[in-house]
């Protein structure tokens, strides 16, 4: 990978840029301006979700950019209250209306369980929803399908019964929470791991005071954010950073002219857990007031 325009080839043959742009929290204020700045900075892959309520802003920005729709990869996700065969199809239609588009490039199930550990029927509901997504691919409204916050046992349930494999799995991944087992399972099954909150959980400066990252930032003469993103890129993980300023957007894309040493990759992979707030897909009951991808 030599630039943000370079792509992973997914297991269905679709190309996916190696860095995306997250739209969570771009609904208010200058949301459209932020997305237009990201487009100006070179980003072409945008991550959204019905939960984020950013689809309208994203769709408007894409139209206003003046660039053809075909230049963009647009991804969105259905929330837990939209799961089920018929509900998933209706959820996509609602997302397309908000996006002002007739297809999305990537459609994903946002969370594997509706009610945490007490959800005994999660496997059946996941499969019912997945079969709807497969049928949506057949209609042309969706080019590829994937998962978000699915751990290996959630993914295996899909893989054991699917007609179309997931192409990606979006997980919280960053130094201090690298979920090595989940990443290894994805890569062993030709599923590209995608990192939300790649700069740490909470905000784009969540890992700013970390001693290990500060040391490496000084060693490589880079920002902590650039160290985090380079770490993920070298591990074959697709990061989706968000940024509110054009300068940070550009800096987040300038990670292709240096390389972390093998020793430093191991150091970051073995960092003590940090910035994770405890929302686990098997035990946490997500609500719209407690957004799992904030």
């Amino acid at each position: 990978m030599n630039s943000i325009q370079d792509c992973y080839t997914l297991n269905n043959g679709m190309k996916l840029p190696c860095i995306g742009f997250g739209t969570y929290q771009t609904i208010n204020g200058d949301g459209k301006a932020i997305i237009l700045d990201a487009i100006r900075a070179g980003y072409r892959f945008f991550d959204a979700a019905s939960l984020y309520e950013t689809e309208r802003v994203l769709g408007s920005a894409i139209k206003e950019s003046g660039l053809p729709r075909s230049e963009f990869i647009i991804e969105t996700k259905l929330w837990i209250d939209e799961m089920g065969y018929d509900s998933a199809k209706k959820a996509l239609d609602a997302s397309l209306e908000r996006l002002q588009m007739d297809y999305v490039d990537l459609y994903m199930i946002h969370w594997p369980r509706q009610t945490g550990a007490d959800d005994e029927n999660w496997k059946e509901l996941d499969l019912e929803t997945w079969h709807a997504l497969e049928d949506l691919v057949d209609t042309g409204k969706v080019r590829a399908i994937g998962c978000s916050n699915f751990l290996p046992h959630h993914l295996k349930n899909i893989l054991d019964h699917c007609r179309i494999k997931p192409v990606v799995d979006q997980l919280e991944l960053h130094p201090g929470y690298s979920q090595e087992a989940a990443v290894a399972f994805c890569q062993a099954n030709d599923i590209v791991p995608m990192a939300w909150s790649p700069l740490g959980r909470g905000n784009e400066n969540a890992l700013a005071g970390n001693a290990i990252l500060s040391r490496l930032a000084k060693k490589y003469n880079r920002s902590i954010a650039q160290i985090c993103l380079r770490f993920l890129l070298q591990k074959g993980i697709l990061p989706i950073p968000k940024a509110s300023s054009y300068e940070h957007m550009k800096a987040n894309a300038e990670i292709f002219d240096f390389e972390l040493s093998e020793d430093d990759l191991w150091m970051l992979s073995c960092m003590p857990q940090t910035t994770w707030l405890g929302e686990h897909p098997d035990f946490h009951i997500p609500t719209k007031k407690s957004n799992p991808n904030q």
Side-chain angles (χ1 to χ4, degrees):
M1 302 296 180
N2 298 304
S3 77
I4 61 172
Q5 278 78 40
D6 286 345
C7 295
Y8 288 98
T9 300
L10 304 179
N11 61 43
N12 70 342
M14 192 175 94
K15 302 289 187 180
L16 191 61
C18 62
I19 299 182
F21 189 84
T23 66
Y24 177 66
Q25 291 184 326
T26 58
I27 182 175
N28 298 317
D30 295 327
K32 187 177 5 178
I34 289 172
I35 294 171
L36 286 169
D37 275 347
I39 294 170
R40 184 162 60 94
Y43 294 87
R44 295 295 181 268
F45 169 31
F46 289 87
D47 166 73
S50 63
L51 177 68
Y52 305 163
E53 299 181 342
T54 58
E55 293 167 324
R56 294 186 192 280
V57 171
L58 176 58
S60 295
I62 296 298
K63 280 185 172 292
E64 193 169 314
S65 74
L67 297 173
R69 167 67 178 86
S70 59
E71 286 201 18
F72 294 97
I73 296 291
I74 303 300
E75 171 254 300
T76 193
K77 300 179 278 290
L78 63 87
W79 188 232
I80 58 171
D81 58 4
E82 298 170 317
M83 294 177 73
Y85 187 85
D86 292 332
S87 295
K89 290 188 170 185
K90 291 176 182 176
L92 176 66
D93 286 338
S95 287
L96 290 175
E97 182 178 355
R98 291 188 291 266
L99 286 162
Q100 304 172 69
M101 297 174 185
D102 55 11
Y103 74 97
V104 292
D105 300 278
L106 182 55
Y107 198 43
M108 298 161 65
I109 303 175
H110 204 150
W111 198 261
R113 291 192 180 206
Q114 286 188 314
T115 58
D118 295 328
D119 185 356
E120 297 180 356
N121 298 316
W122 67 268
K123 289 186 177 182
E124 291 81 2
L125 184 60
D126 281 3
L127 289 176
E128 182 183 333
T129 307
W130 190 257
H131 294 325
L133 268 58
E134 291 176 321
D135 289 349
L136 287 169
V137 173
D138 296 337
T139 69
K141 293 181 178 181
V142 174
R143 294 181 62 205
I145 51 180
C147 300
S148 180
N149 301 296
F150 276 52
L151 300 178
H153 52 296
H154 308 131
L155 286 173
K156 190 174 187 303
N157 178 49
I158 300 291
L159 292 171
D160 285 349
H161 301 94
C162 67
R163 177 168 59 87
I164 300 175
K165 284 179 61 173
V167 294
V168 299
D169 185 23
Q170 191 177 108
L171 298 159
E172 179 181 358
L173 298 169
H174 52 76
Y177 198 66
S178 54
Q179 300 206 69
E180 302 286 333
V183 169
F185 184 88
C186 287
Q187 293 174 335
N189 286 278
D190 201 17
I191 298 168
V192 172
M194 188 184 297
W196 61 262
S197 285
L199 307 182
R201 185 65 178 276
N203 60 64
E204 59 194 74
N205 297 308
L207 290 167
N210 182 272
I212 295 173
L213 286 165
S214 296
R215 176 183 173 213
L216 293 180
K218 183 177 180 180
K219 173 181 177 179
Y220 290 95
N221 193 29
R222 299 286 170 158
S223 69
I224 285 178
Q226 288 171 322
I227 296 296
C228 290
L229 295 172
R230 183 68 203 182
F231 164 73
L232 295 166
L233 193 72
Q234 283 184 229
K235 291 173 73 70
I237 297 166
L238 194 162
I240 307 174
K242 61 184 181 184
S244 56
S245 74
Y246 181 76
E247 291 73 22
H248 284 158
M249 294 173 194
K250 289 291 289 182
N252 288 345
E254 293 169 352
I255 60 170
F256 298 92
D257 59 348
F258 77 103
E259 186 170 319
L260 299 173
S261 71
E262 184 179 26
D263 285 353
D264 291 337
L265 283 175
W266 282 118
M267 185 191 304
L268 291 173
S269 296
C270 296
M271 265 180 60
Q273 183 173 297
T274 184
T275 78
W276 181 57
L277 297 184
E279 293 175 349
H280 190 286
D282 281 317
F283 302 102
H284 179 69
I285 302 174
T287 69
K288 290 202 173 185
K289 291 183 180 179
S290 180
N291 186 340
N293 283 15
Q294 63 185 357

